[in-house]
């Protein structure tokens, strides 16, 4: 059994991870089904796919995007693109329910206003993981990251500014939202391999919506 020191919930539903980083327990629970259905809809036109690291390794989570830009990775590196390299078409527009939850959660985490232009969607099968990394392909690090968990539980690894810092383990459940920015914006983070389980809405998958502002707020 993992030692999940951050459970049970604090009474106000918030677990402070660090300065400028907070887990909002159940923040998206009431709209989780709507978020999930919108996700499935996006994947109908822009399917989940395995991307490759610049070093040529397949990533464990399957990904797609919605929004003005989408995050992609291949031999040429990590970057944002206006079109889906698989279809050559623009990514599907970001659903209003995505924009709303991202803006509201950012505000609850102390980052207002926040207007995402990317919703990167990760789909994890049982056993899938994400190794420790920084989100650093965006142009303006004053803008936070908002990360919504749907479906199977996960153990979020929350590290520090250096890769060598031992990460904390925080259990993320369906409807939990993590917001980080400011002093924590470039903290390392990742996902421990998803344990075998079944979720009533998503089956044997975990989904994660990660909202970012990739392009400059005021284009140069
Ligand atoms: C990410 O860092 O892009 C994903 C985090 C998560 O799946 O919760
Ligand atoms: Fe990330």
């Amino acid at each position: 059994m993992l030692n999940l020191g951050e459970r049970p919930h604090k009474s106000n539903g918030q677990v402070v991870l660090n300065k400028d980083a907070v887990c909002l327990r159940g923040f998206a629970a009431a709209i989780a089904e709507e978020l999930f259905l919108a996700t499935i809809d996006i994947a109908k036109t822009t399917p989940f796919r395995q991307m490759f690291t610049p070093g040529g390794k397949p990533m464990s989570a399957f990904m797609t995007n919605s929004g003005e830009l989408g995050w992609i990775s291949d031999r040429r590196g990590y970057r944002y693109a206006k079109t889906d390299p698989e279809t050559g078409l623009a990514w599907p527009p970001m659903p209003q329910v995505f924009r709303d939850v991202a803006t509201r959660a950012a505000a609850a985490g102390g980052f207002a206003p926040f207007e995402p232009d990317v919703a990167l969607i990760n789909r994890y099968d049982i056993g899938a993981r994400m190794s420790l990394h920084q989100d650093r392909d965006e142009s303006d690090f004053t803008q936070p990251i908002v990360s919504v968990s749907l479906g199977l539980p996960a153990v979020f690894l929350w590290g520090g500014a250096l890769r060598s810092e031992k990460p904390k383990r925080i259990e993320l459940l369906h409807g939990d939202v993590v917001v980080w920015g400011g002093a924590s914006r470039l903290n390392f983070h990742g996902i421990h391999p998803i344990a075998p389980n079944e979720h009533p809405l998503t089956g044997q998958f975990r989904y994660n919506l990660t909202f970012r502002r990739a392009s400059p707020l005021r284009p140069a």
Side-chain angles (χ1 to χ4, degrees):
M1 235 349 232
L2 288 162
N3 176 20
L4 294 166
E6 306 293 338
R7 291 265 166 193
H9 296 197
K10 298 258 170 72
S11 58
N12 62 359
Q14 298 205 357
V15 179
V16 174
L17 307 181
N18 261 150
K19 181 169 161 44
D20 298 332
V22 66
C23 173
L24 307 169
R25 292 287 180 213
F27 188 88
I31 54 160
E33 184 164 356
E34 209 182 328
L35 295 171
F36 172 66
L37 294 177
T39 296
I40 297 305
D41 213 44
I42 289 164
K44 279 184 196 149
T45 53
T46 318
F48 285 100
R49 80 292 305 266
Q50 215 161 8
M51 296 192 196
F52 288 81
T53 65
K57 290 197 187 123
M59 299 183 77
S60 171
F62 282 62
M63 299 177 182
T64 188
N65 290 275
S66 77
E68 289 90 318
L69 293 168
W71 186 85
I72 59 171
S73 176
D74 59 21
R75 283 282 188 184
R76 288 168 48 209
Y78 303 128
R79 63 196 181 281
Y80 287 97
K82 284 189 175 164
T83 54
D84 176 352
E86 298 278 320
T87 61
L89 303 173
W91 302 101
M94 200 185 304
Q96 194 59 41
V97 64
F98 279 23
R99 289 187 193 280
D100 287 349
V101 74
T103 300
R104 285 195 297 114
F111 298 96
F114 173 57
E115 285 187 32
D117 56 3
V118 178
L120 166 64
I121 311 174
N122 297 307
R123 190 190 73 193
Y124 297 78
D125 295 76
I126 287 161
R129 59 195 287 274
M130 195 171 287
S131 51
L132 282 182
H133 66 278
Q134 295 168 296
D135 291 0
R136 54 179 311 152
D137 304 317
E138 302 72 34
S139 56
D140 182 349
F141 296 143
T142 68
Q143 297 298 299
I145 303 288
V146 174
S147 169
V148 178
S149 291
L150 299 173
L152 291 184
V155 177
F156 186 55
L157 306 171
W158 177 252
L162 300 176
R163 189 185 288 279
S164 55
E165 216 170 294
K166 187 169 184 272
K168 293 179 193 169
R169 293 165 170 261
I170 296 106
E171 189 180 33
L172 296 181
L173 300 182
H174 186 61
D176 287 349
V177 182
V178 185
V179 179
W180 67 94
S184 294
R185 178 62 178 74
L186 292 176
N187 277 34
F188 281 86
H189 57 280
I191 292 288
H192 191 73
I194 303 293
N197 209 333
E198 180 85 26
H199 188 274
L201 185 62
T202 69
Q204 298 191 342
F205 292 111
R206 170 178 186 262
Y207 294 84
N208 167 258
L209 313 177
T210 167
F211 296 100
R212 290 102 178 257
R213 177 79 202 189
S215 58
L217 285 179
R218 261 177 271 124

